[in-house]
């Protein structure tokens, strides 16, 4: 398999759990990113956020002294918005208020679609029941992603997945999922990079969503043991991760030493 791989052209990097956890950077991550930028590869940041708009993510990373541009970030909110525009629907947006900025300008009155992300303040019976009735009336259910849980400062916390699954169960329908680990998300992230999946590697802390998703799309996946990683996660995907690393800096070292071919 490795012999047939083309030269590496792109590195996709997860944000939360990989470069930072809330407002703390993973030790050495800024310097590792700077070293990666010296290599002849394109860097893109891909994230299953439903809590924060792209601008907020960007500003947080800049405050932590990461060298990146806002347009280098590709989020599940971006992917969801693209889908809503393609389908020309009016969404009921079950997302955090801080994420609404990425949907500015979309018509949301008299909704005929349900978009569900992580929205702890809206996950109450009344709102979920409103979504349930819309779906029963034929509105499509669009999930920004279906993560089971994520890592916060105070411990693990429920992701949108359990709520999406609950609505699927109640309405006997399948959600359209836009974020990681969907193959379409990874291909869309590469679309403007002039790069095939075989020329890309993904670094993340989520075995299923980051590594499994990327590898199903044809990329290599590197699993880091920071963020939400728990021992044994690597055994939950098939094929297993191309590589396991303690943290992002170690992953960058491996890429620079082993995946760039003879320079």
């Amino acid at each position: 398999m490795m012999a047939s791989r083309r030269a590496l052209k792109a590195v996709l990097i997860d944000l939360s759990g990989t470069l930072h956890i809330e407002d703390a950077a993973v030790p050495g991550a800024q310097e590792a990113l700077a070293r990666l930028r010296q290599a002849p590869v394109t860097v893109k940041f891909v994230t299953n956020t439903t809590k924060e708009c792209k601008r907020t993510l960007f500003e947080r990373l800049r405050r932590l002294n990461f060298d990146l541009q806002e347009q280098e970030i590709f989020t599940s909110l971006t992917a969801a918005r693209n889908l809503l525009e393609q389908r020309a629907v009016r969404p009921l947006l079950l997302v955090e208020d801080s994420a609404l900025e990425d949907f500015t300008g979309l018509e949301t009155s008299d909704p005929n679609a349900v978009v569900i992300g992580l929205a702890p303040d809206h996950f109450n019976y009344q709102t979920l029941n409103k979504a349930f009735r819309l779906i029963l009336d034929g509105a499509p259910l669009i999930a920004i992603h279906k993560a089971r849980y994520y890592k916060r400062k105070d411990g693990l916390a429920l992701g949108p997945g359990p709520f999406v699954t609950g609505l699927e169960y109640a309405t006997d329908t399948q959600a359209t999922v836009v974020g990681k680990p969907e193959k379409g998300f990874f291909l869309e992230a590469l679309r403007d990079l002039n790069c095939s999946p075989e020329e890309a590697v993904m670094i993340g802390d989520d075995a299923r969503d980051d590594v499994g998703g990327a590898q199903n799309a044809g990329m290599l996946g590197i699993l880091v043991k920071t963020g939400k990683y728990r021992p044994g996660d690597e055994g939950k995907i098939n094929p297993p991760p191309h590589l396991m690393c303690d943290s992002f800096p170690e992953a960058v070292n491996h890429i620079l030493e082993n995946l760039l071919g003879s320079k």
Side-chain angles (χ1 to χ4, degrees), residues 177-219:
V177 184
V178 290
K180 299 182 289 192
E182 301 304 308
K183 187 175 182 176
F185 177 86
F186 289 97
L187 298 180
E188 179 93 352
L190 290 180
R191 203 163 51 125
D192 60 350
L193 300 186
N194 189 23
C195 169
S196 73
E198 291 73 32
E199 298 166 315
V201 63
M202 171 77 206
I203 306 171
D205 66 320
D206 188 310
R208 285 192 186 93
D209 288 359
D210 294 329
V211 176
Q215 294 192 153
N216 287 342
M219 305 179 191

Side-chain angles (χ1 to χ4, degrees), residues 10-57:
V11 179
L12 303 187
I13 304 168
D14 172 56
L15 293 177
S16 176
T18 301
L19 290 186
H20 71 98
I21 293 163
E22 295 195 341
D23 286 315
V26 165
Q30 298 97 328
E31 188 266 335
L33 177 60
R35 278 188 294 126
L36 184 61
R37 288 200 183 275
Q38 301 299 309
V41 293
T42 304
V43 172
K44 199 160 194 180
F45 304 89
V46 294
T47 175
N48 261 2
T49 183
T50 71
K51 302 196 298 294
E52 297 174 306
C53 64
K54 190 186 288 194
R55 182 181 56 82
T56 306
L57 282 171

Side-chain angles (χ1 to χ4, degrees), residues 115-133:
V115 173
I116 184 165
L118 185 67
D121 297 338
H122 304 298
F123 284 161
N124 54 57
Y125 189 84
Q126 286 78 2
T127 311
L128 288 167
N129 207 45
K130 183 177 174 185
F132 163 71
R133 290 175 177 176

Side-chain angles (χ1 to χ4, degrees), residues 51-56 59 70 77 81 93 95-106:
K51 302 196 298 294
E52 297 174 306
C53 64
K54 190 186 288 194
R55 182 181 56 82
T56 306
E59 287 170 356
E70 191 168 347
L77 293 172
R81 182 184 180 122
L93 293 168
V95 297
E96 289 270 39
D97 294 345
S98 51
L100 286 173
E101 183 178 312
D102 286 351
F103 296 98
T104 305
L106 285 180

Side-chain angles (χ1 to χ4, degrees), residues 102-159:
D102 286 351
F103 296 98
T104 305
L106 285 180
E107 182 56 62
T108 55
S109 59
D110 189 24
N112 59 1
V114 173
V115 173
I116 184 165
L118 185 67
D121 297 338
H122 304 298
F123 284 161
N124 54 57
Y125 189 84
Q126 286 78 2
T127 311
L128 288 167
N129 207 45
K130 183 177 174 185
F132 163 71
R133 290 175 177 176
L134 281 171
I135 298 161
L136 281 187
D137 286 342
L141 172 59
I142 297 167
I144 296 175
H145 62 79
K146 280 183 85 172
R148 293 165 168 82
Y149 51 85
Y150 68 104
K151 179 74 185 272
R152 290 197 315 215
K153 278 198 287 273
D154 62 352
L156 295 177
L158 283 173

